[in-house]
Amino acid sequence: MKKIILDLATTLDGFIEGPNGEIDWCIMDDDMDFSGFISGIDTIFYGRVSYDAWGNYQPDENSAPEELEFWKAIHAKNKFVFSSQDRDDDKATFIHSDLIEKVSEIKKQGGKDIWLYGGASLIKTFIQHNLIDIYRISVHPVALGNGKPLFEDLKERVNLKLITTNTFKSGVVQLIYQPLPVIIK
């Protein structure tokens, strides 16, 4: 069965974007092997705002060959957009109801894993419904002081088990966790 992997960057103080949506603090080291991560997935889950911003993004034709290849690989994935809007889009499937049931169906399709891209609202929903199988959190060496937190409005504690730690030359530390089973009291 496919796994849902939340792979994202946070600041040292736990924000996934600045107060105005800034992500200019994100570092992409060549030793992070992000293309290796991308080759291990065949599906991407987006919220509508993130999809509208990045789901069909096309780099400038003068961009580095690596960036062009990266976006080509991204756009070759199956894309699902979770939104209250029901929209026809030939590059993505929009899901506007029965989230848990639809996610379960997609996971059972087999193939490679699923990248939970975001945005923040979709991530919060997946956390609250215990739908994330792997948390890949890359902590960047910067503190913003405010912005959009990763863990917001938690209804209950999220217990995680550290699987792997990766340290990169930029000072980014990637923490890979599995959720522990929820204990119902």
Side-chain angles (χ1 to χ4, degrees), residues 108-156:
K108 290 176 185 172
Q109 292 174 354
K112 296 180 180 180
D113 290 327
I114 301 165
W115 178 16
L116 173 57
Y117 181 89
S121 178
L122 183 64
I123 292 169
K124 182 177 8 176
T125 298
F126 272 65
I127 290 171
Q128 289 174 345
H129 290 287
N130 300 311
L131 295 172
I132 300 171
D133 299 300
I134 302 287
Y135 288 76
R136 283 175 42 116
I137 310 299
S138 295
V139 181
H140 290 244
V142 63
L144 299 179
N146 62 13
K148 184 148 315 218
L150 169 57
F151 294 102
E152 182 178 48
D153 300 330
L154 291 177
K155 305 283 188 253
E156 58 188 46

Side-chain angles (χ1 to χ4, degrees), residues 84-100:
S84 59
Q85 295 180 358
D86 186 15
R87 185 163 94 185
D88 285 333
D89 186 313
D90 61 346
K91 296 178 181 168
T93 300
F94 274 66
I95 296 174
H96 62 282
S97 64
D98 303 320
L99 177 134
I100 294 171

Side-chain angles (χ1 to χ4, degrees), residues 21-33:
E22 310 92 306
I23 57 169
D24 58 341
W25 47 269
C26 287
I27 300 166
M28 286 297 289
D29 279 338
D30 54 2
D31 62 338
M32 288 180 172
D33 190 29

Side-chain angles (χ1 to χ4, degrees), residues 42-62:
D42 62 10
T43 303
I44 303 174
F45 286 171
Y46 292 95
R48 187 199 47 82
V49 174
S50 293
Y51 177 73
D52 287 346
W54 298 105
N56 293 306
Y57 175 80
Q58 293 299 323
D60 182 88
E61 62 214 22
N62 297 323

